[in-house]
Amino acid sequence: MKRLFDLTLIFLSLPLLLPLYLVVAWLVRSKLGAPILFKQIRPGKNTKPFEMIKFRTMTDERDSNGELLSDSVRLTKFGKFLRSSSLDELPELWNVVKGDMSLVGPRPLLMEYVPLYSSEQTRRHAMRPGVSGWAQVNGRNAIGWEEKFKLDVWYVDNRSFWLDIKVIGLTLKKVVVREGISADGEATMPIFKGIDK
């Protein structure tokens, strides 16, 4: 049911999404250069790795040693707009079509975080990760890691068709008002270092 809902909604949205995708791709190419897409290995269902794709939002600026500069330096004004409007997430719909992700579920984080989770936090990987999720509509990046993981696990335990409808509606509202885009003093979120037991 969830998979059918995802594919049906994406198919019905194509007349709107395809032109938007092309416009954003052109803007990324003209303002940030190539490549247009940012690709990164993320943990999926049961922590199985998959390649997640997003529109690129940062430059490739490096220091004198060839190391990438911090995210806050490389994140341009245009990149901030893409993130605040969630337009950078559009290519993830291809991950949904492929079956790596769902429209709604716990957001896929970094592979290096997986060993740091408690057994309870690991339960967020009991299902496909989502383009949006319960944690995203209840604080996004403005809440701490521990609260975010509790919300993720709550969704895993309580997921339903109607809850997904609610999350999608709240996601659209969050995109319009642009709430919770980043944590205080961070480009997005601070690095997760594990929760003290």
Side-chain angles (χ1 to χ4, degrees), residues 130-143:
V131 177
S132 185
W134 191 236
Q136 280 60 53
V137 299
N138 284 284
R140 200 172 176 181
N141 291 327
I143 57 176

Side-chain angles (χ1 to χ4, degrees), residues 20-95:
L20 183 60
Y21 186 98
L22 293 174
V23 168
V24 175
W26 179 80
L27 287 171
V28 172
R29 181 68 177 85
S30 61
K31 292 181 178 294
L32 297 175
I36 293 171
L37 298 176
F38 169 76
K39 301 178 182 181
Q40 191 174 53
I41 301 300
R42 298 284 180 98
K45 183 177 180 180
N46 299 321
T47 68
K48 180 181 178 182
F50 74 97
E51 185 177 67
M52 189 182 78
I53 55 174
K54 302 173 70 170
F55 279 124
R56 185 176 163 210
T57 59
M58 294 191 286
T59 67
D60 286 327
E61 291 178 87
R62 297 173 184 270
D63 61 21
S64 56
N65 297 320
E67 298 291 325
L68 284 171
L69 297 178
S70 67
D71 288 359
S72 59
V73 173
R74 295 186 297 119
L75 184 61
T76 65
K77 186 176 180 180
F78 173 66
K80 289 178 182 177
F81 165 74
L82 288 182
R83 289 190 179 188
S84 67
S85 62
S86 296
L87 290 172
D88 63 319
E89 312 282 358
L90 278 176
E92 290 174 32
L93 297 179
W94 177 241
N95 287 122

Side-chain angles (χ1 to χ4, degrees), residues 8-193:
T8 300
L9 195 57
I10 290 173
F11 177 76
L12 293 176
S13 303
L14 274 180
L16 172 66
L17 292 176
L18 190 56
L20 183 60
Y21 186 98
L22 293 174
V23 168
V24 175
W26 179 80
L27 287 171
V28 172
R29 181 68 177 85
S30 61
K31 292 181 178 294
L32 297 175
I36 293 171
L37 298 176
F38 169 76
K39 301 178 182 181
Q40 191 174 53
I41 301 300
R42 298 284 180 98
K45 183 177 180 180
N46 299 321
T47 68
K48 180 181 178 182
F50 74 97
E51 185 177 67
M52 189 182 78
I53 55 174
K54 302 173 70 170
F55 279 124
R56 185 176 163 210
T57 59
M58 294 191 286
T59 67
D60 286 327
E61 291 178 87
R62 297 173 184 270
D63 61 21
S64 56
N65 297 320
E67 298 291 325
L68 284 171
L69 297 178
S70 67
D71 288 359
S72 59
V73 173
R74 295 186 297 119
L75 184 61
T76 65
K77 186 176 180 180
F78 173 66
K80 289 178 182 177
F81 165 74
L82 288 182
R83 289 190 179 188
S84 67
S85 62
S86 296
L87 290 172
D88 63 319
E89 312 282 358
L90 278 176
E92 290 174 32
L93 297 179
W94 177 241
N95 287 122
V96 176
V97 171
K98 287 171 60 185
D100 297 323
M101 296 178 67
S102 179
L103 289 177
V104 180
R107 283 291 296 165
L109 301 173
L110 300 177
M111 289 299 299
E112 52 261 41
Y113 291 175
V114 174
L116 303 177
Y117 296 145
S118 67
S119 57
E120 179 69 5
Q121 292 162 356
T122 300
R123 294 205 300 117
R124 70 191 302 278
H125 291 288
M127 60 180 298
R128 288 187 183 99
V131 177
S132 185
W134 191 236
Q136 280 60 53
V137 299
N138 284 284
R140 200 172 176 181
N141 291 327
I143 57 176
W145 284 116
E146 193 163 5
E147 179 64 19
K148 183 176 290 196
F149 295 147
K150 285 179 180 177
L151 291 167
D152 286 341
V153 172
W154 183 92
Y155 175 79
V156 169
D157 291 338
N158 296 276
R159 62 188 185 269
S160 70
F161 173 76
W162 295 112
L163 183 56
D164 281 8
I165 296 281
K166 181 177 181 179
V167 170
I168 290 170
L170 289 171
T171 298
L172 295 175
K173 179 185 175 184
K174 289 279 184 181
V175 167
V176 171
V177 299
R178 301 185 187 183
E179 292 178 342
I181 297 159
S182 60
D184 289 341
E186 301 285 342
T188 51
M189 281 286 289
I191 295 171
F192 177 60
K193 298 179 180 178

